[in-house]
Amino acid sequence: MYSKTVMDHFKKPRNVGEIEKADGIGQIGNPVCGDMMTIYLDIEDDVIKDIKFQTFGCGAAIAVSSMLTELAKGKTLEEAKKITNKDVAKALDGLPKNKLHCSNLGADALHAAIKNYEDRKAGKVMPDDNQEDKHEHDHDEKCYCPYCDAELGDGQTFCKSCSLSEEEPA
Amino acid sequence: MYSKTVMDHFKKPRNVGEIEKADGIGQIGNPVCGDMMTIYLDIEDDVIKDIKFQTFGCGAAIAVSSMLTELAKGKTLEEAKKITNKDVAKALDGLPKNKLHCSNLGADALHAAIKNYEDRKAGKVMPDDNQEDKHEHDHDEKCYCPYCDAELGDGQTFCKSCSLSEEEPA
Amino acid sequence: MGYYNLDHINFKHLVPEASQAMIDAIKAEYGNPSSQHQKGDEAREVLEKSRETMARLINAKDPREIVFTSCGTESVNMAVKGLAWARQDKGKHIVTCNTEHNAVIRSLRRLKQLGFQVTSVPVDKYGVVNPQTVKRAIRESTILVSIMHANNEIGTLHPIGEIAAVCREAGVAYHCDAVDSVGTLPIDVEGLGIDLLSFASNPFYGPKGVGALYIRRGIGLWNLLDGGAQENRKRAGTENLVGIVGMAAAAEVAMRDMEKRIEHYKSLRRHFLAELPKYLEDYLINGHPEQCLPNHISLSVRHVEGESIVLMLDEQGFAVSTRSACASGSLRASHVLLSTGLSFADAQGTLVISFGVDTTTQIIDKFLAALEESVKTLRAISPLYAAAQKEKAGK
Amino acid sequence: MGYYNLDHINFKHLVPEASQAMIDAIKAEYGNPSSQHQKGDEAREVLEKSRETMARLINAKDPREIVFTSCGTESVNMAVKGLAWARQDKGKHIVTCNTEHNAVIRSLRRLKQLGFQVTSVPVDKYGVVNPQTVKRAIRESTILVSIMHANNEIGTLHPIGEIAAVCREAGVAYHCDAVDSVGTLPIDVEGLGIDLLSFASNPFYGPKGVGALYIRRGIGLWNLLDGGAQENRKRAGTENLVGIVGMAAAAEVAMRDMEKRIEHYKSLRRHFLAELPKYLEDYLINGHPEQCLPNHISLSVRHVEGESIVLMLDEQGFAVSTRSACASGSLRASHVLLSTGLSFADAQGTLVISFGVDTTTQIIDKFLAALEESVKTLRAISPLYAAAQKEKAGK
Ligand SMILES: Cc1ncc(COP(=O)(O)O)c(C=O)c1O
Ligand SMILES: Cc1ncc(COP(=O)(O)O)c(C=O)c1O
Ligand code: FES
Ligand code: FES
């Protein structure tokens, strides 16, 4: 099901943990979705000196987090902003179709953390404000309902026909 | 599928053939139905001295004809009239459900032949008039559509839902 | 006493490759292809490899266009009902022909009960549908055409490429019940432009009770079996992996040996038809003389009834049938034979003789002798034969 | 490295009797049960003997009340859709519960697309339906109640006898999806008064992809598979005789060993639950503590996600699952767990552990050690665990 690279990053995730006084924090996903990811950045001269993550999620989500931190480490913010979800999936030698959704969390969380750093610098947010949960889809990388593989539109996390309840119980 | 007795009568049918100057002839069934049976009677002092049959039909129909002639041979007309389809089936150690239909031909043909004899005596018909094709069902012995095993009403040979054509071709 | 199978349309033995593959699969104890762990991976691999084999067998572009089912009947029901439901908003009219298998006929009858309309087009005396007749039957509201490839009673092949072209032009989906031809004759769903193709494993010496449906990419169906996510979400239910593996193994052999088998069948058929007049008179050969299954003969023996011949031949060690067994239980004259213009009596006297890879000309010769014998006995009992003889004598 | 199966709800090996029966069937080359000759007779006999075994397994009065299918899903689809169609003139309302298997849920969703109405009743925190709630949900137009026996995710058993009584009183047909209990627990369709009962072969160590449906005499269904005359005209299609024979052999063993197996399962379950606190904290056991499958444990490990635990345990040689595989492919929190009141996060962290006849307390001990290890690793990564620890420390 998973590529060797995915399994390697799942079994030995790189850069796990929290950075005590992080310069930027990005959090994305929620348990409803099944995945939650927090990215911590330590930034010096607009370069990502250190990056750590915490993830609640499936094997793919953990591997994506790990790979993402590897890709971002040492990069300038401008470079890091260009990392896409597709890059992460590619670096992992691909992900199963119904996991592409999860993989989309990775770059989103990184970008959220960078934005958090920039917003703090601009005085827009207090250091411990949490970033909003946002889950947009790239237009080049389609996103699929984790339930039925139907293609999802922007912002959707499940396709409509897979909504849970049949009818209000009597 | 068939009992030993059925197979025996099928393989070695008794009383096959035509009686040249028969005193009574009964014919029943038609090729639409898949079975046709002709019974020839040689009657002396109201006793069936000889009986022969010709049958176009399945294994069951042939065995039924053969067994019927065995049962009827030597009987008085009054006795022979009492032979039912059920008696024939019973003497054959039973018939498959979807063959009960065919088995109903046997006694019907015999009764038709006796009636033909009596009608001739009464001057109602010429010796070579064919009896009408009649296929009624006893009320104690249910009859089933040979196509779908649905129970049939009196006079029906196939159940309505099994009628052949879907719709007139374009 | 030996027992010879000349009823291959209803029963084929397993090729050794298939039975070995099945026994291996039983012993391998594959896991559940849907589960998340190692045991599941292994099973998934075997399943997907089998799917690829199926795609090759009918030249499907993408293995995901193949869905495994539990038999030809399920494939047909899934295709016909699934398409009708999926497109019911576009229209409720379906075109078929008069000689389809019961799987198609009764699926359509079911749909009629749910408000669909069906037009059944006639066939010619060989049992062939004219594509132009299909074209004329298509209306604004037509959503589906379902016309089989090889007919299971008379062996006739319909011009499915031309029918597919007519459907393509009209924007109507085309389903082809190819249960009796896939694995025997080459089929190319891409080249022919077929949208839905039903087939089964046993006709090419695979296990019974395993089938598949080809669904062209982009053709949407409602599932017949709703539930879990198996078969790319097109057919729920735990897979019969043992059967699927057997089907794939049989398909590999079928592809390898196809030409050789066809040659063999053709020579048997020629032999049979050439010898037959020496043993029998007053008979008819049904179906198209060339456009037909190479291993199939439909023979109407006049003045006797088919089941009684089958029974008598069975006693002598030969299995043949009156019509395809899946339709049996019916004692009525075959709708297929009547559609080609046969009389009721002749239709009732019809045998289906079908050859297999093991059939030889020696077996055929023995069979013909037994047939001669049986028919003689039965004609002696038959009132129809007696009448025909009298008529002849009268002339 | 050894590999231990603790995922028996998704994958059971074949009992030797079943695999031997299947291998024998493959070698026996049975004919087609529908054909008219000797080869057919033999096959028919084997088929009918298997049907009698099934009838004994669930105490059906008459073997003709059993129809063989290709899986549990087919049985469910046939029962639910077939009854709905057959009774649509009487009414179009169906009652079910919130924790059914996808086979039922999606069959009902399909029927909704065709104009039926569905009421889904809630369950209590153990996942049990209250028969009185079912009674209140029944309306004038209700034609069918479909409520499962053993839930496949949490193992909870519903009071199906009481539900059957409610249905009987209301004149409504009762279908029970008993895929996960038949062959494990005694079931008596006569005694309980069930009208339709779906079951499958693999849950009692028979082959995968074989199932059966019990249809009480007098209950009319529309066929799901229309076509030939097989299965007493209730299910068309060439039979998977190899699978059916395997199912029957497994059923014989299941009947013989049922008590012994249940005792074994119960002692394993006791051991597991007694030992668990030594290895793990912050967890929940889902389902009813007594009215449940004896070989099934649903365990929610808080603050970690289930699939990642499964994957990690797989690496260490243990197969478990997050939920029943037939539902997998879904990454969403389980509707069953949410229905019992679990939070999304806890539901995401749920494992299904299920024992088989070969499971031992030694295997369970090894498993628990591996589980402890895996959970520790994953909690170290988890933001939810970190937050929970902070909160605890703060208090
Ligand atoms: C409760 C329940 N119903 C139905 C099914 C479907 O059965 P199958 O996978 O044999 O189609 C399952 C699957 O295991 C199940 O657990
Ligand atoms: C033309 C045709 N279609 C469909 C079927 C049904 O296939 P199965 O018996 O595998 O369900 C048959 C039966 O052999 C057939 O001959
Ligand atoms: S982000 Fe993985 S399923 Fe929603
Ligand atoms: S009398 Fe035999 S089928 Fe009609």
Side-chain angles (χ1 to χ4, degrees):
Chain A
M1 182 159 125
Y2 289 129
S3 72
K4 274 203 186 116
T5 318
V6 171
M7 284 308 295
D8 181 56
H9 277 264
F10 167 69
K11 285 193 282 181
K12 291 178 302 219
R14 289 44 152 184
N15 309 307
V16 169
E18 209 177 321
I19 296 178
E20 272 293 329
K21 297 224 158 104
D23 299 315
I25 300 180
Q27 187 167 31
I28 212 145
N30 64 58
V32 176
C33 211
D35 299 84
M36 240 177 103
M37 198 179 290
T38 315
I39 294 284
Y40 302 88
L41 296 177
D42 182 358
I43 292 169
E44 223 166 79
D45 297 335
D46 278 357
V47 167
I48 298 176
K49 247 195 69 194
D50 199 9
I51 178 169
K52 287 211 183 305
F53 79 90
Q54 284 179 323
T55 290
F56 168 93
C58 62
I62 291 171
V64 161
S65 314
S66 167
M67 179 56 86
L68 174 84
T69 58
E70 288 284 279
L71 290 180
K73 207 175 198 169
K75 290 239 165 42
T76 66
L77 291 186
E78 283 321 299
E79 286 168 343
K81 278 183 192 170
K82 284 186 198 134
I83 296 174
T84 64
N85 292 315
K86 216 172 173 176
D87 294 334
V88 180
K90 213 168 134 195
L92 286 168
D93 296 333
L95 282 167
K97 191 173 146 198
N98 67 350
K99 295 282 181 175
L100 286 177
H101 196 79
C102 322
S103 87
N104 284 343
L105 287 184
D108 291 358
L110 173 66
H111 300 159
I114 296 175
K115 185 155 187 299
N116 175 249
Y117 164 74
E118 292 176 343
D119 285 353
R120 285 192 206 178
K121 267 208 338 196
K124 280 200 218 161
V125 290
M126 296 300 289
D128 53 353
D129 261 18
N130 261 343
Q131 288 296 300
E132 214 182 314
D133 180 10
K134 205 180 64 171
H135 187 37
E136 274 171 15
H137 301 114
D138 299 354
H139 282 280
D140 55 338
E141 180 72 271
K142 275 171 191 150
C143 203
Y144 297 87
C145 172
Y147 198 40
C148 72
D149 271 5
E151 214 179 297
L152 295 177
D154 263 4
Q156 268 183 279
T157 38
F158 299 118
C159 88
K160 233 156 106 198
S161 68
C162 284
S163 68
L164 191 71
S165 61
E166 278 302 309
E167 183 175 312
E168 277 315 293
Chain B
M1 182 161 125
Y2 289 130
S3 73
K4 275 205 187 113
T5 319
V6 171
M7 283 309 293
D8 181 57
H9 277 264
F10 167 68
K11 285 193 284 182
K12 292 178 300 220
R14 290 42 154 187
N15 309 307
V16 169
E18 209 178 319
I19 296 178
E20 271 291 332
K21 297 225 158 109
D23 299 316
I25 300 180
Q27 188 166 29
I28 211 143
N30 65 58
V32 176
C33 211
D35 299 85
M36 241 179 99
M37 197 179 292
T38 316
I39 293 285
Y40 301 89
L41 296 177
D42 181 357
I43 292 170
E44 222 166 80
D45 298 335
D46 278 356
V47 167
I48 297 176
K49 247 196 65 193
D50 199 10
I51 178 168
K52 287 214 184 306
F53 80 90
Q54 284 178 322
T55 290
F56 168 92
C58 62
I62 291 171
V64 160
S65 315
S66 166
M67 178 55 87
L68 174 85
T69 57
E70 287 285 281
L71 291 180
K73 207 174 199 170
K75 290 238 166 44
T76 66
L77 290 186
E78 283 320 300
E79 286 167 342
K81 278 183 193 171
K82 286 187 197 131
I83 297 174
T84 64
N85 293 315
K86 218 173 171 174
D87 295 334
V88 181
K90 214 168 132 193
L92 286 168
D93 296 332
L95 282 167
K97 192 172 144 199
N98 66 351
K99 294 283 181 175
L100 286 175
H101 196 79
C102 321
S103 88
N104 285 344
L105 286 185
D108 290 359
L110 173 64
H111 300 157
I114 296 176
K115 185 156 186 298
N116 176 252
Y117 165 73
E118 292 175 344
D119 285 354
R120 286 194 207 178
K121 267 205 346 195
K124 281 199 218 159
V125 288
M126 295 302 287
D128 53 354
D129 259 18
N130 261 344
Q131 287 297 299
E132 212 182 315
D133 180 9
K134 201 181 65 168
H135 187 35
E136 275 170 18
H137 301 113
D138 299 354
H139 282 280
D140 55 339
E141 180 74 88
K142 275 172 190 150
C143 202
Y144 297 86
C145 171
Y147 197 38
C148 73
D149 270 3
E151 215 179 297
L152 294 178
D154 263 5
Q156 266 183 281
T157 36
F158 298 117
C159 89
K160 233 158 104 196
S161 69
C162 283
S163 68
L164 190 69
S165 62
E166 279 301 307
E167 183 175 314
E168 279 313 294
Chain C
M1 189 182 76
Y3 194 80
Y4 300 105
N5 182 12
L6 289 169
D7 186 26
H8 284 86
I9 190 97
N10 286 316
F11 168 66
K12 288 196 178 71
H13 64 82
L14 286 165
V15 278
E17 288 85 347
S19 66
Q20 195 53 53
M22 289 170 77
I23 292 171
D24 290 348
I26 288 170
K27 292 183 176 159
E29 304 263 355
Y30 290 125
N32 184 333
S34 300
S35 52
Q36 297 145 319
H37 37 71
Q38 294 172 16
K39 271 276 179 196
D41 286 344
E42 203 185 14
R44 204 155 34 236
E45 226 166 84
V46 170
L47 179 62
E48 296 314 321
K49 238 189 96 213
S50 303
R51 200 185 307 285
E52 281 160 28
T53 304
M54 290 309 123
R56 259 188 295 124
L57 180 66
I58 59 168
N59 195 34
K61 229 201 236 156
D62 184 340
R64 280 172 298 180
E65 294 176 320
I66 304 286
V67 172
F68 284 108
T69 65
S70 67
C71 54
T73 299
E74 186 190 330
S75 303
V76 167
N77 275 260
M78 180 176 172
V80 170
K81 296 177 182 172
L83 191 113
W85 283 320
R87 297 206 179 169
Q88 56 185 327
D89 292 341
K90 280 189 61 188
K92 294 196 139 199
H93 181 247
I94 300 169
V95 175
T96 185
C97 81
N98 283 345
T99 58
E100 291 292 313
H101 184 268
N102 263 336
V104 169
I105 295 179
R106 297 206 173 163
S107 289
L108 291 177
R109 193 173 287 167
R110 201 58 92 180
L111 287 172
K112 283 174 75 177
Q113 289 183 275
L114 291 168
F116 288 81
Q117 295 97 42
V118 176
T119 300
S120 186
V121 302
V123 296
D124 66 15
K125 64 175 176 170
Y126 297 124
V128 182
V129 159
N130 183 337
Q132 291 311 307
T133 314
V134 174
K135 189 170 179 171
R136 280 192 301 273
I138 293 176
R139 314 175 188 162
E140 186 63 32
S141 61
T142 306
I143 49 173
L144 173 68
V145 168
S146 184
I147 288 177
M148 71 199 320
H149 188 205
N151 183 279
N152 51 304
E153 294 192 30
I154 55 178
T156 294
L157 301 173
H158 292 295
I160 55 175
E162 289 172 57
I163 296 170
V166 163
C167 294
R168 185 60 59 97
E169 203 192 302
V172 170
Y174 174 42
H175 167 248
C176 178
D177 172 356
V179 166
D180 284 315
S181 58
V182 167
T184 301
L185 298 173
I187 307 272
D188 176 356
V189 288
E190 271 304 318
L192 294 167
I194 293 167
D195 297 315
L196 297 158
L197 187 99
S198 294
F199 57 110
S201 149
N202 43 317
F204 50 88
Y205 302 93
K208 286 177 272 293
V210 197
L213 175 63
Y214 163 80
I215 309 172
R216 178 178 293 280
R217 239 189 151 161
I219 300 283
L221 301 183
W222 277 22
N223 288 1
L224 189 66
L225 301 192
D226 288 304
Q230 292 93 345
E231 294 295 298
N232 297 311
R233 300 182 190 270
K234 290 181 185 142
R235 197 265 189 192
T238 294
E239 301 88 346
N240 169 15
L241 207 51
V242 169
I244 288 171
V245 160
M247 182 177 192
E252 291 290 354
V253 179
M255 285 185 270
R256 187 192 71 199
D257 291 355
M258 193 171 285
E259 264 183 70
K260 205 175 69 187
R261 285 181 181 172
I262 291 174
E263 267 325 298
H264 175 64
Y265 292 150
K266 279 190 175 164
S267 76
L268 293 174
R269 195 170 196 276
R270 268 193 305 270
H271 180 79
F272 189 103
L273 294 176
E275 291 295 308
L276 185 56
K278 301 181 188 158
Y279 297 88
L280 205 63
E281 53 180 22
D282 240 357
Y283 64 83
L284 303 162
I285 300 292
N286 307 300
H288 197 281
E290 271 101 43
Q291 292 305 312
C292 65
L293 285 176
N295 52 338
H296 196 98
I297 288 170
S298 168
L299 167 67
S300 297
V301 182
R302 305 196 65 195
H303 312 309
V304 289
E305 196 269 349
E307 198 233 45
S308 59
I309 317 181
V310 169
L311 213 58
M312 206 152 264
L313 288 168
D314 187 44
E315 288 294 315
Q316 291 176 78
F318 297 93
V320 297
S321 66
T322 51
R323 48 153 87 191
S324 141
C326 24
S328 98
S330 164
L331 307 175
R332 290 198 314 176
S334 145
H335 67 287
V336 175
L337 296 169
L338 296 178
S339 297
T340 65
L342 236 60
S343 74
F344 272 97
D346 289 341
Q348 295 284 15
T350 303
L351 298 181
V352 173
I353 298 132
S354 43
F355 311 131
V357 291
D358 299 337
T359 309
T360 60
T361 50
Q362 286 77 18
I363 294 175
I364 288 177
D365 292 341
K366 280 190 210 167
F367 169 77
L368 288 171
L371 178 68
E372 178 177 28
E373 176 84 15
S374 302
V375 171
K376 204 181 279 172
T377 311
L378 289 166
R379 279 186 175 162
I381 311 181
S382 168
L384 295 181
Y385 187 70
Q389 292 307 101
K390 271 183 201 156
E391 198 174 316
K392 236 189 230 167
K395 270 186 210 160
Chain D
M1 187 182 76
Y3 194 80
Y4 299 107
N5 181 12
L6 288 168
D7 186 25
H8 284 86
I9 190 96
N10 285 316
F11 167 63
K12 288 194 180 71
H13 63 82
L14 286 165
V15 278
E17 288 85 347
S19 66
Q20 194 54 52
M22 290 170 77
I23 291 171
D24 291 347
I26 288 170
K27 291 183 176 161
E29 304 263 354
Y30 291 123
N32 183 334
S34 301
S35 53
Q36 296 147 318
H37 37 71
Q38 295 172 16
K39 271 275 177 194
D41 287 344
E42 202 184 15
R44 206 154 32 235
E45 224 167 85
V46 170
L47 179 62
E48 296 313 321
K49 239 189 95 212
S50 304
R51 201 185 305 286
E52 282 160 27
T53 305
M54 290 307 122
R56 262 187 294 124
L57 179 66
I58 59 166
N59 195 34
K61 228 198 236 159
D62 184 340
R64 279 172 299 180
E65 295 176 320
I66 305 286
V67 173
F68 284 107
T69 66
S70 66
C71 54
T73 299
E74 186 189 329
S75 303
V76 167
N77 276 259
M78 180 176 171
V80 170
K81 296 177 183 173
L83 190 113
W85 283 321
R87 296 206 179 168
Q88 57 185 327
D89 292 340
K90 281 190 61 188
K92 294 195 138 198
H93 181 248
I94 299 169
V95 176
T96 187
C97 81
N98 283 344
T99 59
E100 291 292 313
H101 183 268
N102 263 337
V104 169
I105 295 179
R106 297 205 174 164
S107 289
L108 292 177
R109 193 174 287 166
R110 201 59 90 181
L111 288 171
K112 282 173 75 178
Q113 290 183 273
L114 290 168
F116 289 80
Q117 295 96 43
V118 176
T119 300
S120 185
V121 302
V123 295
D124 66 16
K125 64 175 175 171
Y126 298 123
V128 182
V129 158
N130 183 337
Q132 291 311 307
T133 313
V134 174
K135 189 171 180 170
R136 280 195 300 274
I138 293 176
R139 314 175 187 161
E140 186 64 31
S141 62
T142 307
I143 50 173
L144 172 67
V145 169
S146 184
I147 288 178
M148 72 200 318
H149 188 208
N151 183 279
N152 51 305
E153 295 192 31
I154 56 177
T156 293
L157 301 172
H158 292 296
I160 56 176
E162 289 171 57
I163 295 169
V166 163
C167 295
R168 185 62 57 99
E169 204 192 301
V172 171
Y174 175 40
H175 167 249
C176 178
D177 171 357
V179 167
D180 283 314
S181 58
V182 167
T184 301
L185 297 172
I187 307 270
D188 176 356
V189 287
E190 271 305 317
L192 294 168
I194 292 168
D195 297 316
L196 298 158
L197 187 98
S198 293
F199 57 111
S201 150
N202 42 318
F204 50 87
Y205 302 92
K208 286 176 273 296
V210 197
L213 176 63
Y214 163 80
I215 309 172
R216 178 178 294 281
R217 237 190 152 158
I219 300 281
L221 300 184
W222 276 23
N223 288 2
L224 188 66
L225 301 194
D226 289 303
Q230 293 93 345
E231 294 295 300
N232 297 310
R233 297 179 192 270
K234 290 180 184 142
R235 198 266 191 193
T238 294
E239 300 88 346
N240 168 15
L241 207 52
V242 169
I244 288 171
V245 160
M247 181 176 192
E252 292 290 354
V253 179
M255 286 187 270
R256 187 190 72 198
D257 292 355
M258 194 171 286
E259 263 183 69
K260 203 174 70 187
R261 284 180 182 173
I262 292 174
E263 268 325 300
H264 175 65
Y265 292 151
K266 280 190 174 162
S267 75
L268 292 174
R269 196 171 196 275
R270 267 194 305 272
H271 179 79
F272 188 103
L273 293 176
E275 292 294 309
L276 185 56
K278 301 181 189 158
Y279 298 88
L280 205 63
E281 53 180 20
D282 239 358
Y283 65 82
L284 302 161
I285 299 293
N286 307 301
H288 196 281
E290 271 102 43
Q291 292 305 315
C292 65
L293 285 176
N295 51 338
H296 195 98
I297 288 171
S298 169
L299 167 67
S300 296
V301 181
R302 306 195 65 195
H303 312 310
V304 289
E305 196 270 347
E307 198 232 45
S308 59
I309 317 181
V310 169
L311 213 57
M312 209 151 260
L313 287 168
D314 187 44
E315 289 293 315
Q316 291 177 76
F318 296 95
V320 297
S321 66
T322 51
R323 46 154 86 190
S324 140
C326 24
S328 97
S330 164
L331 307 175
R332 292 195 316 172
S334 143
H335 66 287
V336 174
L337 297 169
L338 297 178
S339 297
T340 65
L342 234 59
S343 74
F344 271 95
D346 289 342
Q348 296 285 15
T350 303
L351 297 182
V352 174
I353 298 132
S354 43
F355 312 131
V357 291
D358 298 338
T359 310
T360 61
T361 52
Q362 285 77 18
I363 294 175
I364 287 177
D365 293 341
K366 279 190 212 165
F367 168 77
L368 288 170
L371 178 66
E372 178 179 28
E373 176 86 12
S374 302
V375 170
K376 203 181 278 172
T377 311
L378 288 166
R379 279 185 175 164
I381 312 182
S382 169
L384 296 180
Y385 187 69
Q389 292 306 100
K390 271 182 200 157
E391 201 175 313
K392 234 188 229 168
K395 269 183 207 154

